[in-house]
Amino acid sequence: MLQAFDIIGPVMIGPSSSHTAGAVRIGKYARSILGTEPVKAHIRFSGSFAKTYKGHGTDKAVIAGILGMDTDDSRIRTSMEIAKQKGLDFEFQEEDIDGAHPNTAEITLTDANGKTAQVQGASIGGGNIIINKINGTEVSISGKSDTLVIPHQDVPGMIAVVTNILAEHDVNIHGFSLCRDHKGGTAVMTIEIDGDIDESLNDAILANPHIYASTILKAI
């Protein structure tokens, strides 16, 4: 069943839901994954984004998202000036990314302490997005609902450990994916859930010695 969002798109500053609203959401997701205030941003545009980002304002939109703005924020048009005032150093690169959706941005953010986060996402129409990679690991996140991102050691039983904790907290899962670099290496669960995720869930999840981190990404 289609939701109203899917039919009419988001409330947004134009000109394009794909090139503007979607780009804002990808930028904002990258900021959420970094979890701190970025001081440097390197943005790679691929496909259609690379060819038209200046004319469609995709550059301004991505920077706006990195600054934490929403799709309907009137400051999107002046986001790059605001970024410079805030001390955010940013640069854009046009480069085809193998196998990527035509409207793809790869964003690498760095904070004042040198912490980095890299996010690759695609704008797939109507302001909708798919986050394809986080820090080089393949994921599949729509950004429409709260999501847990859990890197962990690839050992038997880890899915059961996490899903049992969620069941104990009456959390309902509606989307799940798991990727790993190699058998026995690092795997990443991405779990989309109905409703809000309570921060206390992380304490229970992180109690398992095979889990490296647990990040709650709020719907954007």
Side-chain angles (χ1 to χ4, degrees), residues 183-205:
K183 183 178 180 180
T186 297
V188 178
M189 285 185 238
T190 55
I191 305 172
E192 296 181 282
I193 65 101
D194 294 325
D196 294 329
I197 299 176
D198 192 298
E199 294 284 348
S200 65
L201 275 174
N202 274 346
D203 293 335
I205 292 170

Side-chain angles (χ1 to χ4, degrees), residues 85-108:
Q85 293 168 7
K86 289 180 172 290
L88 176 65
D89 179 25
F90 57 88
E91 60 180 345
F92 301 100
Q93 180 180 349
E94 302 166 25
E95 182 179 343
D96 284 334
I97 299 172
D98 289 343
H101 183 280
N103 294 336
T104 290
E106 180 194 86
I107 303 170
T108 304

Side-chain angles (χ1 to χ4, degrees), residues 5 12 23 32 34 51 55 70 75-76 80 83 99 113 129 146 178 181 187 189 195 198-199 208 216:
F5 182 92
M12 53 164 272
S32 295
L34 180 66
K51 294 179 176 65
D70 293 320
R75 297 174 298 164
I76 289 173
M80 292 197 285
N113 294 318
I129 64 170
D146 286 4
L178 185 143
D181 50 11
M189 285 185 238
D198 192 298
E199 294 284 348
N208 187 287
I216 298 173

Side-chain angles (χ1 to χ4, degrees), residues 18-39:
S18 292
H19 288 254
T20 306
V24 170
R25 296 183 72 215
I26 295 169
K28 193 170 183 181
Y29 224 95
R31 179 188 177 93
S32 295
I33 291 167
L34 180 66
T36 53
E37 189 71 26
V39 297

Side-chain angles (χ1 to χ4, degrees), residues 149-172:
V149 179
I150 306 172
H152 59 91
Q153 186 179 2
D154 181 37
V155 295
M158 294 310 300
I159 294 174
V161 166
V162 173
T163 55
N164 285 340
I165 291 171
L166 297 182
E168 289 168 3
H169 287 77
D170 295 321
V171 174
N172 190 52

Side-chain angles (χ1 to χ4, degrees), residues 108-169:
T108 304
L109 300 181
T110 306
D111 71 7
N113 294 318
K115 177 185 176 183
T116 64
Q118 186 180 81
V119 174
Q120 179 180 310
S123 180
I124 58 175
N128 295 298
I129 64 170
I130 290 292
I131 301 300
N132 311 113
K133 290 184 179 181
I134 296 176
N135 296 328
T137 300
E138 292 185 6
V139 297
S140 180
I141 303 173
S142 70
K144 291 182 179 180
S145 57
D146 286 4
T147 303
L148 279 165
V149 179
I150 306 172
H152 59 91
Q153 186 179 2
D154 181 37
V155 295
M158 294 310 300
I159 294 174
V161 166
V162 173
T163 55
N164 285 340
I165 291 171
L166 297 182
E168 289 168 3
H169 287 77

